[in-house]
Amino acid sequence: MVEPLVYHLKNYGIKTWYDRDKLLMGDNREEINLEKGVWKCNYALVVISKFTVDSVCAMEELSIIESKYRQGKIIVFPVVYELSPNDIPDRLCWIKELIFKEVDRHSGTREVCSHIVCKITGNILNNCIHQKVRDIISTSQEILPSGVYDIIRSYLQIDHANLNSRISLLYAAYLVITDTKRINANSITNMVSCVFDRLFSETRLNLPVDYRELWLLENSLCILIDFYIDSCTESRI
């Protein structure tokens, strides 16, 4: 279950700390896995199974994560694997304070990762001017790349149930913005590009999506718009 979760998160452009990718025999586990991994992360994806409490290492990591969560220093994404919520051990009952996903060996993991990246992009938007797609058309039309204003206006007029058309317009706006090559590349803009490119490469925009995936694309476009406007402001200065 963990391997496909890591795979999808990396395809979304999310930097991940995964011990199998980072640790070698002979490494100092406390220095590398706990200090560089658990203590320094802002988000934690935890997979709870019936075997978790039997792992000393896992319980030590979860103890640190719970402490950081109680202090408001970390956001936790709990996944309960082949385990009834009623059977979650008492030592991990704090997990049930959060919205969690129940999965089994037959479940897909893309939906879980879509939730995670939607949350991460939503947090990034807290520091952006344009936090909703509707906010974009409040920006002066002359500031936006040619055509983006009309694309967004059309997007807002489409029936909410017409998901494929809405996604196609969001993707069109993304292509127009990135074609300007005005945005400086960084970890956030790279993540946004991965979100759109992954969707297109895997589905060619013909897919049954849920509203959280659409929500994720809206978040990503708003972030991109803010970076575009910032780059235009810097170039004028």
Side-chain angles (χ1 to χ4, degrees), residues 133 136 144-153 155 165-180 183 192 196 205 217 220-222 224-225 228:
V133 172
I136 297 174
L144 298 172
S146 178
V148 168
Y149 183 90
D150 290 331
I151 292 173
I152 298 302
R153 189 170 59 180
Y155 174 81
S165 293
R166 296 177 75 194
I167 286 176
S168 297
L169 285 172
L170 290 176
Y171 186 69
Y174 159 74
L175 290 178
V176 173
I177 296 167
T178 53
D179 189 56
T180 65
I183 302 174
V192 168
F196 278 99
L205 303 184
L217 293 178
S220 299
L221 186 65
C222 289
L224 197 64
I225 286 288
Y228 175 84

Side-chain angles (χ1 to χ4, degrees), residues 116-150:
I116 292 171
V117 184
C118 195
K119 181 71 171 179
I120 292 173
T121 54
N123 288 343
I124 295 171
L125 277 179
N126 289 333
N127 297 316
C128 293
I129 296 174
H130 305 87
Q131 299 185 0
K132 300 289 183 183
V133 172
R134 187 172 298 278
D135 296 340
I136 297 174
I137 61 174
S138 66
T139 300
S140 173
Q141 189 170 352
E142 289 73 23
I143 297 177
L144 298 172
S146 178
V148 168
Y149 183 90
D150 290 331

Side-chain angles (χ1 to χ4, degrees), residues 222-237:
C222 289
I223 292 169
L224 197 64
I225 286 288
D226 263 55
F227 272 91
Y228 175 84
I229 292 174
D230 283 347
S231 68
C232 291
T233 303
E234 290 173 2
S235 65
R236 288 184 185 132
I237 294 174

Side-chain angles (χ1 to χ4, degrees), residues 3 5 26 34 50 57 69 72 85 87 89 98 102 116 121 129 141 161 178 185 188 198 206-208 219 222:
E3 295 288 344
L5 286 169
L34 298 184
K50 61 183 179 181
C57 294
Y69 162 68
D87 294 328
L98 303 164
E102 297 178 57
I116 292 171
T121 54
I129 296 174
Q141 189 170 352
T178 53
I188 295 178
R198 182 202 64 82
N206 183 23
L207 77 167
N219 286 354
C222 289

Side-chain angles (χ1 to χ4, degrees), residues 25-103:
M25 289 178 63
D27 285 340
N28 184 307
R29 189 184 71 83
E30 183 171 343
E31 176 186 352
I32 299 178
N33 197 40
L34 298 184
E35 178 62 27
K36 293 184 179 179
V38 181
W39 280 114
K40 289 190 176 180
C41 67
N42 298 315
Y43 301 91
L45 168 59
V46 299
V47 180
I48 306 298
S49 76
K50 61 183 179 181
F51 302 110
T52 301
V53 293
D54 296 326
S55 169
V56 175
C57 294
M59 292 303 293
E60 185 179 8
E61 292 170 3
L62 284 166
S63 177
I64 297 172
I65 289 170
E66 181 186 6
S67 176
K68 291 184 66 177
Y69 162 68
R70 296 295 182 198
Q71 298 173 57
K73 294 181 179 180
I74 196 171
I75 293 175
V76 182
F77 303 112
V79 174
V80 179
Y81 178 65
E82 295 195 334
L83 185 68
S84 166
N86 293 330
D87 294 328
I88 294 176
D90 291 339
R91 293 167 64 187
L92 299 173
C93 63
W94 64 275
I95 290 292
K96 292 193 281 188
E97 297 176 13
L98 303 164
I99 294 176
F100 56 85
K101 297 292 289 184
E102 297 178 57
V103 299

